[in-house]
Amino acid sequence: MTQSFTPGEFQSYWPNALKMNRFIAYFLPTFIAGLLAIGTHSYGQDFNHFQTLRSSGRVPEKFRTSSLEKYNSDIQQISSKEKRRLKRLKKEFFYESAFDLNNLLHSGMLVFNDPVSIYVNKVMDTILKDDKPLRSKIEIYVLKSTSFNAFTRQNGVIYICVGLLARLHNESELALILCHELTHFTNQHSIQKVIENDDINAGRGVYRKTNEDAKLMAASMFSKKEESEADLVGLQRFLKTNYDPNKAIGEFDIMEYPQLTFNEVPYKKNYLETSNLVFPPSYFLKKISDVVADDDDSLSTHPAAKLRRAAVISKLQGLDVSGKKTFLVGENDFNSAQKICRYEMCDIYLHNNMFQNAFYTSYLLLQENPGSIYLKKCVAKSLYGLSKYKTNGKYSDIYNGYIDIQGYSQQVFYFFNEMKAPELNALAVEYLYNLKRQYPDDKEIVAITQDIMTEMVQYHKDKSFFSADPKPASLDSVLAKDSASKGNILNKSDKPRTLIVQKSKYESNSGSKKGDEQKEKKDDKNYFIRYAFVDLLTDPDFIKDYDKAVINYNETLSDNQYKETREYKKAEAKIERRLRRNGIALGLNKLVIVNPFYYKVDESKSNPVKLAASELAQKDLNNCIKTNANLAGLNYELIDMHDLSENSAEVFNDLSVLNYYSAERSELGDMHYVNYMTDDIQALTKKYQTNYFDWTGVVCYREHSNFRQGYLKTIFAIFSIFYFPLTPYALYNAFRTHYNTYIISNIYDLGTGQSEDVRVSRVKFKDRPDVLNSILYDLYLQYKKPKN
Amino acid sequence: MRKLLICFFLFPALLKGQVPGYQGKHFILSYNLDVLPNLAYIDLNSVSTLPVQILFSNHISTEYVLGRSFSLGLDASYSQSKIFLVDGNANESGDSYGLNLTFYPKKNNTIAPVGNYFKIRIFTGSTWASGNIRNNTFDNNGYPVTLIKPEQTNLTVNGFGIGFGNNMIVHNNIVLTASVNLDFNVMNFNNNKIPTGSNFEELTYDIQNHLFETYLFYFKLGIGGLMF
């Protein structure tokens, strides 16, 4: 499953990876950072209050150098004696690779000097204890991804996914994987792949007269050849170590079933049930689908796992493995690192909106550690996320059906899919409120509970819907009978892949069909969700919170009704006009400007984004921001991944949190959502002494001339012949290029989670410094101006 | 004029809106060179202008940014140009004083004084012309003699103009501007004398008229500084 990859491949991978792999960070005590900073480490995690992986200590040089510096360093490897085509290819490769690498390094998905990275680096030290020069070229970082994967760059950077370490059985397996990755580096597989792919695409040599399908196959074959080579050469290196090869081949078992999580435990129906809240048996599969190995590697970049295992085993025949060990760094170290990774996976799943996976992973870990508040919160957040997405008609964004899910987690996918939005909401409220009662001082739980209760009111405004009396004894038999009539045995041929039709929350709330169904359910005394709050309804606090939620809901409704009135619209228009004329006034005491970005785009080029120019312009933009914020008298702080110093690990962590926060916000759209990093975010607002964080940047876009422009230019040119004074302008108009520059500023109030101001100024000019200065100064003036 | 000046000074105080200017600076003092193609071809008896001539005018202007998308300015110009004739040449001198209102279109999203602008100008001015002309006369012996005869006349004009241009600011305080302008004369008063019929007077009168009475199409190139 491990692989090397070309920049192109990675470019297509990493935006998804960013979307899919966001992490949450909690409560890092400063003493851990201090210990790590002085070169020691501790795996002494309190797994009840788990703290997600954070970087610490000295910021590695790779994180601090610009893409252009990396590129200039890389191209030194190119020999002057090489053919021109190879030189070109390598230069292109190094160019893209340098920018890809920096994108990833600055995405916040990688961590350094964390307990897991330290452990993996120790394993690498053990492997390369006799090859110091090679060891000095290798840098290993942990990638916050749940996939069973590792990557190697041509410059010696290896990423190990959290999901890989979470699934491994022992240290020997990790060592074998690292040996495999080392071969990718030493044999420069990624460059070789680029050169070969160029031959394939151009139809050179043996690839002459091959059709497109054959080219695809050839590219796949070459990649598989490299992987096999990495396996075998890696194995040779591995055999020189003192690791036990027989214990290492278990990794191929995991590769064969990468769809399974680190542990397979049946999901118990009664896990979320109480004595009164009992789910219908029809919400559970009687039998989950069979687990099938993915053996088809025809178009894959990797050979099938069973073939790789067989190849490795054949090389191990007759070898003497006496004295070899499964663990060299230490079994405890491995277990600690793995446990951290497993706990980390819950967070990553949550940030990827993979709530079902987060729920099941937390469920698995809770079996071992039932008292962990961290895991309980993960369960609560999963329920909250599922309920929010279902209520807001966006469930299809986070769910693609349960048929393709393999393993016991399929039960979880099926269960949540079967639950109706009001049921899921009531379940989430029940779980969250009980958690809130358990941890009343946890602000995150309180905020989420409050939000989900407000949402519940739209389904059940009258709390009398819920029964305060215990569940009747007859309910179980009614539910069982009902389930038997529906049938819930998974049958692939009968049941197509389930897709939820997206409905808005208004549809689900007020649509006549839905309303009727709801009414029918309400009248039905056997409706199981009526008994969700039997215990809670005896709690005066719950009654009080319920009433408060009703009041909030009514206020929101009346606000929404007022917004429809002519009077409101008139007043809004007046405000809008005033804002256009005078600008806004936010009265910010301080603003934190986060990771300013700059993209220069040329529509006419095959690679529209001018990476080098963008990077250089980004540096100028930082200066521009500083100058104008100072001139405007704005109290600000600029934190930027591109501007890290050796001692900026804390800033790096802050930016990672903020990156994930902004990605989450942009995905949510207009859905109100309490973010998962409430504690972290609160820590940031406290640290920077402001709630206002600004994501700002510039995009300069060079347009292609369209027909209308060309037509006008011609008319103008003809006119200028008859009236010669216009000639200079006609010439200027004929040859000038059309640019659009977008200056974007998006301020979030991290206290409320709402966007305070979104500005996109489109200027019909090239990104001239005076234009940028002018607009940024104006923006900062408005941000500083006291509110009226 | 007095009312205009009052407006000019009171207007900023009346504005409620936030006026960012350029990094907080609102006042520009600049020097402009107006380049006027001599469009009219004057042909009076044997005295006519040579084709394609370019006249220059020196221009000092001020501009004060009053809003997010407009500014008000005053300007003064002085020009001295030589017009080459087939039978001599003429010196045309002039001055003008104007009041400018400059709009920076909102659709461009730029903030005054940066970017494209559209300018409206009202002005008042006067011009003098003098020159040498070869006049074909005969001496006492009946031989033809060419006399050089300087003459001059004076003309006062009022008018308005429009312009379209672009302001660019470099090094945060140097303003470069380029524009295309068109001035129209609404009223003109000949303060001195009505042409008596001599070739030269008629010629200078025509030159002045061509400059002020019909229209003035000119390019403006300027450099200035953001003062405060």
Side-chain angles (χ1 to χ4, degrees), chain B residues 42-58:
Chain B
I42 299 165
D43 189 359
L44 188 70
N45 298 330
S46 61
V47 181
S48 56
T49 51
L50 292 173
V52 190
Q53 297 185 51
I54 294 179
L55 316 178
F56 296 95
S57 168
N58 300 295

Side-chain angles (χ1 to χ4, degrees), chain A residues 66 74 86 205 219 222 247 271 302 369-370 393 636 644 669 688 720 744:
Chain A
S66 71
D74 286 347
L86 287 183
F222 186 78
K247 298 287 181 187
Y271 174 60
H302 290 64
N369 186 7
Y636 76 100
L644 293 173
Y688 290 98
S720 69
I744 300 150

